[in-house]
Amino acid sequence: MPRWMLFVPLMALVAAVAGIGLMLGGRSVGTTETEVIDRFATRYLAEAGVGAARSDCAARPAQSEGLWLVVACDMRGGARYEYFVDGYGRLAHANRLERQS
């Protein structure tokens, strides 16, 4: 067996890892803060119903490890919706808090 054939499995492994890394890196770079805020504001409008407005939502950086943003939507005189977003722009957790009068 030629000597270079010994390195073929190693080259295949390196190529596979590089492909996976590029795929995951491209996915995280392709999602912007604006797209994430818009997506969760749309979700808020669907969940909150009548009286909800897109302008009720704002985002802030997340304080927890592994999270990117917190999109918080305050309905006038109603509930507060919070969407915790991970580094890929996916929903990690959602809260709905009722206001105490």
Side-chain angles (χ1 to χ4, degrees):
M1 177 174 10
R3 187 177 186 120
W4 64 270
M5 290 289 285
L6 296 173
F7 293 101
V8 170
L10 179 62
M11 290 186 298
L13 179 64
V14 168
V17 169
I20 291 169
L22 287 172
M23 183 182 68
L24 292 175
R27 187 178 304 160
S28 66
V29 171
T31 304
T32 65
E33 290 178 0
T34 303
E35 291 171 344
V36 169
I37 295 166
D38 188 50
R39 184 176 337 127
F40 288 104
T42 302
R43 179 177 176 155
Y44 160 72
L45 291 173
E47 290 178 0
V50 178
R54 193 172 291 276
S55 60
D56 295 343
C57 298
R60 67 178 188 276
Q63 300 296 318
S64 299
E65 183 79 24
L67 294 178
W68 177 26
L69 294 172
V70 178
V71 180
C73 303
D74 289 315
M75 194 170 186
R76 291 177 188 88
R80 176 182 177 93
Y81 293 78
E82 293 179 327
Y83 304 99
F84 296 86
V85 183
D86 70 7
Y88 294 106
R90 298 178 301 203
L91 179 65
H93 183 71
N95 282 337
R96 180 173 185 232
L97 308 168
E98 295 294 330
R99 296 231 173 121
Q100 301 297 323
S101 300

